[in-house]
Amino acid sequence: MPGSHLPLMEEGMARWPFGPPNAGIALDFTGVPPTLDELRALVGDRWKALPRLTQTLVAPGGPRTGLAWWTGRHRWARRDGHDLGRQVDEADGTLRDAVRLWFHTPFPAGRPPWSLHLLRGSAEGEFSLLFRMHHSLLDGRSLTTLLRALFDDGGPLDGAASLAVPGPRRRTVRPAPAVGGPPGLLTAGRAVPLPHRGAREPAYTVVRLRADVLRAAREAASARTATTNEVFLATVSGVLRSCLSAAETDPPVSVSGTASDGDQPRNGDRTRNGDRGRRRDPGPVWLSVPVDERPDDCGEFLGNAFANVRVPAPVTLSDPAARLTACTGLLTPVTRPRRTSEKLFEGTLAAVPGATMALAGGKIFAPAYAQAACSYVHLREQGQTLAGRPLRRLTIVPMVPPADTATFALGGCTRGHTLSVATNSGSQDAELLAEAFLDELTLLAERTP
């Protein structure tokens, strides 16, 4: 609620230590761009009843030492009567230009931390709408709710529905039986060395996925046609496996501690005590996947209502189809009441954000905790148009990821899919990992029965 302290997830993003916690979605359209006045009028009509979009983020006051450092929290303040049209502007240039400029620049204090940019791009007859936000304000589901409302078959969003905070019942993920349950909060796994090519700085790139290749990859599953999300996780797992193969002297090791896929111990393979023939168990490689927690009756809530779920990446499996099978069912959703212990634990951590972020910095942000984040946003409706201009592509821009990790973000609409990759390990790493993703996806597609 406006004026209240941020909940735990939003407070953590407000304190994001790797760069401004900015994220966004770009919608690419075919046709003559609308005028800035037309776009502002559309935004004013469709989003006028949404209090969330008039809020400003207020940082904790007082000194950042002692007790204030441990307990100081951000809060929201509402600016009634704020003109949403002031948040809409236009610029020449590409999405890459915009990301390089805006996503590394904090929002100014005293104004709502979001903006909608009309990008005219470099090709005639094409334009983009880029929604940029401070991630504490909105999550991915909120973004798709807002952007759908701008389409020709949309309409003004309901202010009351946008404030309907998910109650005691939340959607979550049922752990797959083969995994043995979810990992503990502080359970670490195995870090994967990224390429580390180029200057050590954030990097971002986008590639398009061929529809026929993605369709063939979904058919590679043994029991049924896989979901796009399952193909996504399996392909990212293949990318991480290739990173391990390029960086390690030991072959991949299974969680049980035995060499996988027929690999044999190599000369010099030993434990730290020098015992030959005994394999070290490096633990699983974890993927972090944001899962929407909204129950069906809170689908239009605007804010952050997601949880990061960790699932194992099957990096020990050399067969792409086997990796796809291992990813089947990892994200099966269920709706259940929130446990009292969960609410108490979250409230305790939110009360001492300084300690929570110190814990996160040393553990939760480490590559061994979650080597890669995998986010998928899809607009499934047919025939999306903006004032008659058809949507042709959706592209996600994630936050700058923790050091030495990667974020893979898949954006989809009826016209196809794009993959965004963000890294914080080397200026060339994003492009190298995106190329590896395309290679792994092709390998999976070629395994179609």
Side-chain angles (χ1 to χ4, degrees):
M1 294 294 293
S4 63
H5 288 126
L6 272 61
L8 176 62
M9 180 68 74
E10 295 177 5
E11 181 67 35
M13 289 185 288
R15 294 168 172 257
W16 194 247
F18 307 103
N22 300 337
I25 290 181
L27 300 180
D28 297 341
F29 295 90
T30 301
V32 178
T35 67
L36 193 57
D37 286 342
E38 289 173 335
L39 186 56
R40 285 172 172 165
L42 183 62
V43 166
D45 175 59
R46 303 292 174 86
W47 297 351
K48 61 185 176 184
L50 305 177
R52 187 77 176 181
L53 298 185
T54 66
Q55 293 182 160
T56 61
L57 186 62
V58 180
R64 307 305 299 143
T65 58
L67 183 63
W69 182 82
W70 294 97
T71 60
R73 295 169 64 182
H74 292 74
R75 63 182 176 85
W76 291 115
R78 197 158 94 190
R79 294 184 59 182
D80 292 324
H82 179 72
D83 180 9
L84 298 184
R86 295 176 58 190
Q87 308 291 117
V88 183
D89 62 20
E90 63 179 333
D92 294 324
T94 65
L95 175 63
R96 191 182 299 272
D97 297 330
V99 171
R100 188 162 41 242
L101 175 64
W102 295 322
F103 284 86
H104 297 260
T105 305
F107 283 96
R111 60 167 286 180
W114 67 270
S115 52
L116 183 66
H117 307 284
L118 173 62
L119 302 182
R120 298 189 177 276
S122 56
E124 187 175 352
E126 297 179 355
F127 68 94
S128 301
L129 294 184
L130 171 61
F131 190 103
R132 182 173 73 117
M133 64 180 185
H134 189 296
H135 211 326
S136 292
L137 182 73
L138 301 167
D139 59 11
R141 175 69 180 272
S142 301
L143 261 183
T144 57
T145 297
L146 288 172
L147 295 174
R148 282 188 178 98
L150 298 181
F151 292 152
D152 292 340
D153 58 355
L157 293 174
D158 182 76
S162 73
L163 295 174
V165 180
R169 293 181 61 79
R170 300 289 180 92
R171 291 177 73 252
T172 186
V173 169
R174 178 190 295 119
V179 178
L185 177 65
L186 300 181
T187 301
R190 183 183 194 184
V192 175
L194 297 181
H196 295 293
R197 302 283 181 83
R200 194 174 178 83
E201 62 187 20
Y204 171 76
T205 195
V206 178
V207 294
R208 298 185 66 177
L209 306 187
R210 285 177 47 186
D212 59 330
V213 173
L214 182 57
R215 185 164 48 249
R218 294 184 59 194
E219 298 294 333
S222 57
R224 60 168 174 80
T225 299
T227 67
T228 300
N229 215 1
E230 290 165 349
V231 169
F232 180 35
L233 296 180
T235 306
V236 171
S237 299
V239 173
L240 297 181
R241 177 183 169 86
S242 69
C243 290
L244 287 170
S245 298
E248 292 188 331
T249 57
D250 287 343
V253 178
S254 71
V255 175
S256 63
T258 59
S260 64
D261 305 313
D263 290 324
Q264 298 299 318
R266 298 181 182 182
N267 293 334
D269 178 34
R270 62 186 69 194
T271 65
R272 289 186 178 180
N273 295 325
D275 296 327
R276 294 180 181 272
R278 293 174 57 189
R279 309 290 296 173
R280 294 190 303 272
D281 182 357
V285 173
W286 296 108
L287 303 176
S288 178
V289 183
V291 175
D292 179 26
E293 290 190 307
R294 294 166 177 79
D296 292 341
D297 58 348
C298 294
E300 293 187 13
F301 167 72
L302 298 182
N304 282 279
F306 73 96
N308 286 315
V309 175
R310 286 192 295 160
V311 298
V315 297
T316 62
L317 302 175
S318 62
D319 182 8
R323 291 197 293 270
L324 179 56
T325 298
C327 290
T328 300
L330 286 181
L331 297 177
T332 303
V334 295
T335 301
R336 63 166 177 82
R338 290 188 74 200
R339 301 184 182 94
T340 301
S341 59
E342 293 173 329
K343 292 184 284 186
L344 287 175
F345 182 72
E346 180 176 326
T348 300
L349 293 181
V352 284
T356 300
M357 291 304 291
L359 172 66
K363 196 77 171 179
I364 297 177
F365 292 148
Y369 190 83
Q371 182 60 63
C374 299
S375 181
Y376 178 35
V377 175
H378 192 185
L379 295 177
R380 294 177 171 83
E381 298 86 352
Q382 294 285 339
Q384 303 104 325
T385 58
L386 179 80
R389 291 93 160 175
L391 175 68
R392 61 188 181 92
R393 190 160 53 241
L394 180 155
T395 304
I396 302 173
V397 184
M399 292 196 303
V400 174
D404 298 322
T405 71
T407 296
F408 296 82
L410 189 63
C413 65
T414 56
R415 300 284 294 274
H417 288 76
T418 64
L419 175 76
S420 303
V421 181
T423 61
N424 201 359
S425 53
S427 59
Q428 301 176 35
D429 283 10
E431 292 186 358
L432 291 171
L433 294 177
E435 292 171 2
F437 185 97
L438 296 178
D439 291 341
E440 292 292 335
L441 185 64
T442 300
L443 289 175
L444 181 56
E446 292 173 349
R447 296 304 302 266
T448 304

